[in-house]
């Protein structure tokens, strides 16, 4: 239900306006592995000569019908556009992107440290959603989630094919990881980050959101600096060398 209208030319009768500016566009679509269903409920106030969907893979689909299905031959990310033509005039409305997956997502693997929960196996094209007592937590869509109340937590992977949920993780008492145990600054950063472990020897590992290790080092307890991280979001693990306890922090790099 989200459209951006653009026109490649204006009407000779209405040179300052887009001919289809009064179109009430309403298309719903849903994906199921390689096949998506579309329902076109658009209401246009002029007589058009043709209407179709550009499916993003070079194929088209007649949009003048209300209920349609389309099957993609290969997995990938495709942008769908709704096109209306009046003679030689054409207006296109970008519906958005459809991510066609090869199959259902794997089951999420979660590492728990006190009230910190971390998905360790996210992959491209998978949406992450955390749940508390069976209800989706608003805005909780990153690999790392720090619980702020007791209850039963789980996380779900979703792609265009299906969904897959983790097991349950019960938080019965909230532990607070004091900032003095592990300080990460500046955060967000433009690339350089200081990690202060306050006298505790530890191992430091930085992961990107796909689970790939991008930086690994150790500290004898002094402040260290990690350099030249690319723009993106990372998860920093600091593991106490003696106890093996690990703390997680999200690190954002903006350049």
């Amino acid at each position: 239900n989200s459209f951006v209208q653009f026109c490649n030319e204006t009407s000779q009768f209405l040179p300052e306006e887009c001919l289809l500016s009064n179109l009430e566009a309403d298309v719903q679509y849903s994906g199921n592995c390689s096949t998506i269903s579309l329902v076109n409920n658009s209401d246009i106030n002029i007589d058009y000569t043709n209407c179709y969907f550009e499916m993003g893979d070079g194929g088209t689909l007649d949009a003048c019908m209300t209920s349609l299905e389309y099957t993609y031959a290969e997995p990938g990310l495709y942008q769908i556009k709704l096109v209306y033509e009046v003679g030689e005039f054409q207006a296109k409305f970008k519906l958005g992107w459809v991510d066609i997956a090869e199959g259902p997502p794997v089951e999420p693997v979660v590492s728990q440290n006190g009230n910190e929960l971390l998905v360790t196996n996210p992959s491209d094209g998978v949406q992450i959603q955390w749940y508390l007592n069976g209800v989706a937590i608003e805005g909780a869509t990153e690999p790392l989630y720090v619980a702020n109340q007791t209850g039963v937590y789980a996380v779900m992977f979703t792609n265009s094919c299906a969904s897959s949920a983790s097991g349950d993780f019960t938080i019965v008492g909230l532990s607070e990881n004091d900032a003095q145990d592990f300080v990460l600054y500046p955060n967000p950063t433009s690339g350089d980050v200081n990690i202060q472990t306050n006298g505790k020897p530890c191992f430091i590992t930085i992961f990107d959101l796909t689970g790939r290790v991008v930086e690994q080092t150790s500290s004898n307890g002094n402040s260290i600096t990690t350099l030249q991280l690319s723009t993106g979001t990372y998860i920093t693990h600091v593991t106490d060398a003696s106890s093996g306890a690990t703390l997680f922090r999200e690190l954002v790099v903006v350049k």
Side-chain angles (χ1 to χ4, degrees):
N1 296 324
S2 179
F3 289 80
V4 177
Q5 182 180 13
F6 61 95
C7 303
N8 58 7
E9 63 178 275
T10 58
S11 165
Q12 59 179 326
F13 305 108
L14 301 171
E16 302 301 324
E17 300 180 35
C18 173
L19 187 61
L20 302 185
S21 60
N22 292 327
L23 170 68
E24 294 182 7
D26 178 19
V27 174
Q28 289 117 22
Y29 63 95
S30 59
N32 180 17
C33 290
S34 60
T35 300
I36 66 168
S37 300
L38 301 98
V39 179
N40 185 8
N41 298 317
S42 302
D43 185 16
I44 183 170
N45 62 351
I46 62 174
D47 293 330
Y48 53 87
T49 54
N50 193 22
C51 60
Y52 55 93
F53 290 107
E54 291 182 355
M55 302 306 296
D57 63 346
T60 60
L61 191 63
D62 183 0
C64 299
M65 301 171 59
T66 57
S67 185
L68 307 155
E69 282 193 349
Y70 187 84
T71 299
Y72 289 92
E74 300 289 340
L77 190 63
Y78 302 99
Q79 186 179 45
I80 302 176
K81 298 177 181 178
L82 172 61
V83 182
Y84 279 92
E85 293 181 345
V86 181
E88 296 182 356
F89 173 85
Q90 184 182 78
K92 295 184 182 181
F93 299 83
K94 295 182 283 187
L95 274 69
W97 295 89
V98 174
D99 194 350
I100 301 300
E102 294 185 11
V106 299
E107 180 179 335
V109 176
V110 177
S111 174
Q112 181 178 6
N113 179 51
N115 59 316
E116 295 181 327
L117 302 169
L118 177 68
V119 176
T120 61
N121 63 333
S123 60
D124 292 338
V126 170
Q127 296 178 336
I128 300 172
Q129 178 62 62
W130 289 95
Y131 290 80
L132 171 60
N133 298 328
V135 178
I137 305 169
E138 184 176 357
T141 58
E142 297 294 337
L144 174 64
Y145 184 75
V146 180
N148 57 14
Q149 58 182 300
T150 60
V152 179
Y153 289 83
V155 67
M156 183 175 291
F157 284 164
T158 301
N159 64 15
S160 63
C161 192
S163 296
S164 179
S166 70
D168 292 336
F169 295 84
T170 301
I171 304 292
V172 294
L174 298 180
S175 63
E176 296 196 10
N177 297 319
D178 286 338
Q180 62 184 352
D181 291 338
F182 166 22
V183 179
L184 185 68
Y185 65 95
N187 189 17
T189 176
S190 60
D192 297 352
V193 58
N194 297 305
I195 302 174
Q196 177 67 55
T197 56
N198 293 309
K200 297 180 179 180
C202 61
F203 304 104
I204 299 168
T205 308
I206 299 179
F207 299 84
D208 64 17
L209 293 187
T210 68
R212 182 175 63 91
V213 175
V214 297
E215 193 79 31
Q216 217 169 14
T217 187
S218 61
S219 171
N220 62 4
N222 298 320
S223 178
I224 70 164
T225 301
T226 301
L227 302 174
Q228 301 304 319
L229 288 174
S230 302
T231 299
T233 300
Y234 300 87
I235 304 297
T236 302
H237 287 205
V238 173
T239 302
D240 189 296
S242 58
S243 69
T246 299
L247 299 177
F248 309 130
R249 294 286 188 276
E250 184 178 275
L251 171 63
V252 178
V253 178
V254 180
K255 293 187 178 181

